[in-house]
Each structure stands twice: as structure tokens, then as C-alpha cells.
Amino acid sequence: MWTKLLRGIVLKIYYPFLMLLGAFFKDKKEGFQRHVINLNNKLVLKQGIKTRKILLMLPHCLQIDKCDIRITNNIYNCKRCGRCGVKDLIAVSEEKQVELYMATGGSVARKIVTDVRPQAIVAVACERDLSSGIVDSYPLPVIGIHNERPYGPCFNTNVSIEKVIEAINALCP
């Protein structure tokens, strides 16, 4: 399909070019990354991929810092107290029957993808991690959702549950 080829051009040629520009225009770099994520998402959706083998990948910073339980090894250890959005994301993954993992970084995320072997990924992260993860995962279709960072990077972040559900629904048959 032409959209898969176009995604390859966007991710392997256009993205590195924008990151080179971002080295000179540091205040624009995150905007460039967000642009590539949005472009990738549109192309993935245009491919019309439908699968039940979806991986929902989350960053560890969605867990509230005051939590007594570290859920990075097993997200299902979450007590579901509701102080952060993890409880809702677990509920979504159970309802939609998708694999759910939380990664502490890029190496762990790549290992999870290798171990789970999904046919599509819905990933949540900051623009930097998300854009590089999408590039690393190509040709696997990834819909990226950037997280909200009200307290700064990698600390008590949030994500729109509605956007996660919308992305999963777009990939489900």
C-alpha cells in the first residue's frame, strides 16, 4: 500500500531531517516531533488496519509519585485507588481485550514489543519518546498519543482516556 511506503518516507527521511533542523531551532523541536506523530497517525489510520492483537504501551510516569506500589514490572499490581489514570487504563485494556504494558524507557519498550509481537500498537509517551519509538517500530503500525505534563517532564503525567479508546477502536475489527 502507498500509505505504508509514505509512512516509511516520513519516518526514515522526513523525521531525521526535522530533528536536524531541531538541533538548530531547539524551541521548535517538540513541535516537529508532534507534527511527525500526527502525520504518522493519519497514515496508520488511512491504512485501515484491523486487528485484535493490539499492544497498549504506557510510560511509567503516568503512575503518581506518591503511590506505594511500583507497577513498572506488572501493571496489574495496581491497587486501582483512582489517584492516577492507571486504573482507568487497566479497565480499558480489559474491556477492549488488548495487551497492556508499562515501560520505563525505550529499551524496555522495544523488548516488550519483541516479546508480545503485536500487530499494532497504541502508545502513550512524551513527544520525544513517542516519535523515536514510532520510528524504531516501523513498519509496525503505531498510533501515538502524547501525554499531558502538568508538573513537567516524566512526573505525574496524564493522558486522555478518550483518545486511547478512540485509537484502540480505530484498530479493532
Side-chain angles (χ1 to χ4, degrees), residues 55 75 79 126 158:
L55 169 62
I75 196 164
K79 290 195 174 182
C126 62
N158 302 309

Side-chain angles (χ1 to χ4, degrees), residues 1-114:
M1 258 183 145
W2 66 270
T3 52
K4 187 174 179 180
L5 175 65
L6 187 54
R7 268 186 69 230
I9 293 168
V10 166
L11 298 176
K12 300 298 183 178
I13 298 170
Y14 185 57
Y15 173 73
F17 172 72
L18 287 179
M19 292 306 92
L20 179 64
L21 282 179
F24 297 101
F25 303 102
K26 295 198 186 304
D27 59 323
K28 304 269 189 222
K29 190 170 186 175
E30 192 173 285
F32 291 158
Q33 291 164 334
R34 190 173 294 184
H35 170 69
V36 168
I37 293 163
N38 291 337
L39 192 53
N40 169 76
N41 289 352
K42 286 177 185 170
L43 291 171
V44 167
L45 293 173
K46 259 206 188 311
Q47 280 183 263
I49 294 157
K50 298 294 181 190
T51 181
R52 284 250 163 245
K53 198 157 171 57
I54 299 169
L55 169 62
L56 175 55
M57 180 79 71
L58 305 175
H60 68 94
C61 55
L62 286 175
Q63 183 182 19
I64 194 163
D65 70 311
K66 302 209 180 330
C67 189
D68 298 331
I69 307 294
R70 293 293 351 107
I71 59 173
T72 52
N73 291 334
N74 182 354
I75 196 164
Y76 295 99
N77 287 338
C78 176
K79 290 195 174 182
R80 303 179 193 205
C81 67
R83 293 189 304 170
C84 67
V86 174
K87 172 188 91 156
D88 298 328
L89 291 161
I90 291 172
V92 167
S93 75
E94 290 173 344
E95 178 189 330
K96 301 292 183 180
Q97 299 177 338
V98 298
E99 295 271 351
L100 173 65
Y101 285 88
M102 184 171 276
T104 55
S107 296
V108 172
R110 282 187 285 280
K111 181 175 181 350
I112 291 168
V113 170
T114 301

Side-chain angles (χ1 to χ4, degrees), residues 100-153:
L100 173 65
Y101 285 88
M102 184 171 276
T104 55
S107 296
V108 172
R110 282 187 285 280
K111 181 175 181 350
I112 291 168
V113 170
T114 301
D115 292 348
V116 174
R117 302 180 59 83
Q119 292 177 346
I121 300 172
V122 174
V124 176
C126 62
E127 287 83 355
R128 180 184 59 112
D129 292 348
L130 200 51
S131 59
S132 65
I134 290 170
V135 169
D136 290 348
S137 298
Y138 180 80
L140 199 59
V142 179
I143 295 180
I145 303 167
H146 62 86
N147 58 5
E148 300 153 10
R149 301 176 300 242
Y151 305 103

